[in-house]
Amino acid sequence: MPVVAVVGAQWGDEGKGKITDLLSERAAMVIRYQGGTNAGHTVKVGGELFKLHLIPSGILHPQVTCIMADGTLIDPAELAEEINTLRSRGVDCANLVVSGNAHVILPYHRVLDAVTEEASGAASIGTTRRGIGPAYADKLLRVPRGIRAWDLLDRNILRERVLDQLQVKNKLLQQVYGAEPLDAEAVLAEVEAAAGVVAKHVGDPRPLVRQALATDAFILLEGAQGTFLDPDYGTYPHVTSSHPVSGGACLGTGIPPTAISSVVLVAKAYTTRVGRGAFPTELLESLGELVRQRGGEYGTTTGRPRRCGWFDAVIVRTAAALNGATELAITKLDVLDTLDRVRICVGYRLDGEVLDYPPGNLDLLDRVEPVYEEMPGWKQEINSIRCYDELPANCRAYLERLEELVGVPIRLVSVGPEREETIFR
């Protein structure tokens, strides 16, 4: 059976949660390979909406082992709340394994994230303020020692390491940012309470993963965010602190690159972005607001309104090349049902030259003008359609043009938020 990576093609929010949930039905294992509570994966089943931030989207399938791998960040308080919420809704989470090597977000990381953003003023990058950057920084700095999920298993070790870290962080908060220091007992109380829920899931998933690989089990690798939020390949500095690309799946899980048999690249039928950063196809007029309202484009994690624009084939084609995409999943196609005309960005005009790739110097991306192709809309509700050939002719023409421009076959089309509102091609 294959090892399949599910990767976002744009700036996140592409619908990876739904795609992972759908594919999980046949999977033995779903592994979340990077990111933390800055992710927001939404799954809708039988009219019930599940919003997941940390736990893999396969959790609704009890037969699937769900792993939060070494490359993820664990916020114990948020994870405990997510586990308890799922349990209250009949999902017992007994199939969840948290890697002990995953680093932990603590209250001081969230505070540092917020004060850094505030201090940056107009130059702030628009983080989710969930402590992601400061926690990954601690991991890479190594000294003082970053706290890992293993440390949640021993109260004495946890207290010692949190207090050591807090001394350093409080100095930083006071001396650099002029902020109030955090109360040690309040921090410990939050972490210890959460550890009581999370610790029973902490372990070493590597033997499980090796066994799954050895028996050719179907493994899904679930990414958070999207390709153009990657710190190396995205629109730096308005990016995340981990690697959402398919190569990040190997780094975050320990699964070798040669084991990945296919990469499902997920893209919306249009484009969205949260926060600051270049966005060549952004719609600033009433049409952008229409797409936002029809698509419910508000951040799962932050609630912030997403910026909306036309499908950008330049970035999705680039994402396909970066990730080694073997198939494409198009989501939220139904959002475009009411439009008379739809546009696709097929190139960027920069200083008189038309580019079919993003410029290497990303400062130039703010200067590009999108080159559009326009196609007729289909003016028909499609959420009840389950067969590709039954889609309106103009709708099929739109999808086939996207496929041609990206250079990757479309295998799955989402025509609504529910599991069953999906067309397999």
Side-chain angles (χ1 to χ4, degrees):
M1 291 295 285
V3 177
V4 177
V6 179
V7 181
Q10 298 156 318
W11 282 284
D13 308 309
E14 298 96 347
K16 298 180 295 298
K18 175 178 177 176
I19 303 306
T20 302
D21 171 69
L22 281 167
L23 298 177
S24 295
E25 188 174 7
R26 297 182 291 113
M29 183 174 287
V30 176
I31 310 176
R32 168 85 180 273
Y33 61 82
Q34 46 78 225
T37 49
N38 54 338
H41 293 178
T42 302
V43 179
K44 193 171 185 182
V45 183
E48 279 199 81
L49 193 65
F50 294 86
K51 294 185 178 182
L52 305 169
H53 298 281
L54 286 164
I55 296 176
S57 299
I59 197 68
L60 302 182
H61 299 275
Q63 78 282 5
V64 177
T65 300
C66 291
I67 295 173
M68 298 190 63
D70 297 25
T72 60
L73 288 179
I74 310 300
D75 185 321
E78 294 281 348
L79 181 55
E81 182 179 350
E82 200 164 309
I83 290 170
N84 287 333
T85 299
L86 284 169
R87 285 176 177 163
S88 72
R89 299 178 67 182
V91 182
D92 68 12
C93 296
N95 52 334
L96 175 65
V97 180
V98 176
S99 172
N101 289 335
H103 280 247
V104 171
I105 295 174
L106 290 159
Y108 51 73
H109 291 125
R110 298 193 297 265
V111 172
L112 281 167
D113 203 355
V115 296
T116 303
E117 279 284 276
E118 292 294 334
S120 299
S124 65
I125 61 171
T127 75
T128 59
R129 305 192 180 200
R130 298 301 177 100
I132 304 298
Y136 272 124
D138 275 2
K139 174 180 179 176
L140 297 179
L141 285 170
R142 296 164 292 165
V143 179
R145 181 173 178 170
I147 295 172
R148 301 197 297 176
W150 291 125
D151 301 326
L152 301 175
L153 303 181
D154 187 308
R155 184 173 184 271
N156 292 329
I157 290 175
L158 180 62
R159 288 183 69 87
E160 178 187 343
R161 291 183 178 162
V162 169
L163 290 173
D164 283 349
Q165 287 275 355
L166 195 54
Q167 261 191 317
V168 176
K169 304 306 187 201
N170 274 340
K171 282 183 183 178
L172 183 61
L173 286 169
Q174 290 176 286
Q175 296 174 10
V176 176
Y177 296 104
E180 290 293 318
L182 296 178
D183 178 74
E185 288 307 315
V187 170
L188 285 167
E190 176 188 310
V191 179
E192 288 174 349
V197 177
V198 174
K200 64 187 69 175
H201 296 280
V202 174
D204 183 358
R206 296 179 188 187
L208 297 174
V209 174
R210 285 196 292 269
Q211 177 66 14
L213 288 170
T215 57
D216 291 326
F218 182 10
I219 301 173
L220 274 176
L221 308 178
E222 180 183 21
Q225 292 86 45
T227 295
F228 285 89
L229 292 177
D230 188 282
D232 288 332
Y233 307 109
T235 47
Y236 185 88
H238 302 101
V239 293
T240 192
S241 301
S242 60
H243 295 286
V245 293
S246 60
C250 301
L251 296 173
T253 64
I255 290 177
T258 51
I260 297 178
S261 53
S262 60
V263 177
V264 179
L265 194 67
V266 186
K268 280 178 181 164
Y270 49 99
T271 310
T272 63
R273 177 163 200 173
V274 174
R276 299 174 185 270
F279 189 173
T281 67
E282 184 172 12
L283 290 164
L284 298 174
E285 67 276 12
S286 57
L287 188 54
E289 181 60 27
L290 173 66
V291 172
R292 181 181 298 114
Q293 293 301 324
R294 282 186 54 80
E297 297 296 353
Y298 297 89
T300 305
T301 299
T302 63
R304 290 181 293 180
R306 295 174 185 143
R307 299 154 64 192
C308 299
W310 295 116
F311 188 92
D312 188 336
V314 178
I315 68 163
V316 178
R317 179 169 56 242
T318 303
L322 281 169
N323 290 289
T326 55
E327 53 192 277
L328 190 61
I330 296 294
T331 63
K332 290 198 169 184
L333 183 62
D334 55 302
V335 172
L336 306 181
D337 283 355
T338 64
L339 302 185
D340 293 315
R341 311 286 295 178
V342 289
R343 284 180 154 193
I344 305 168
C345 174
V346 298
Y348 294 155
R349 185 173 286 107
L350 178 66
D351 298 332
E353 181 184 0
V354 175
L355 307 177
D356 63 358
Y357 55 87
N361 180 351
L362 291 175
D363 289 336
L364 300 177
L365 195 58
D366 285 319
R367 290 177 41 206
V368 303
E369 296 178 9
V371 177
Y372 286 118
E373 284 185 8
E374 191 168 272
M375 302 180 72
W378 43 96
K379 301 287 287 182
Q380 178 183 331
E381 288 189 4
I382 61 172
N383 63 307
S384 62
I385 295 174
R386 300 291 177 268
C387 175
Y388 181 81
D389 290 338
E390 293 175 8
L391 286 169
N394 288 347
C395 186
R396 295 198 307 273
Y398 178 71
L399 289 171
E400 286 155 20
R401 183 57 177 145
L402 299 187
E403 186 176 62
E404 181 181 17
L405 288 165
V406 174
V408 177
I410 295 172
R411 299 299 187 205
L412 188 153
V413 180
S414 174
V415 293
E418 293 277 359
R419 261 184 193 163
E420 65 271 15
E421 292 177 324
T422 307
I423 296 169
F424 290 91
R425 185 170 174 234

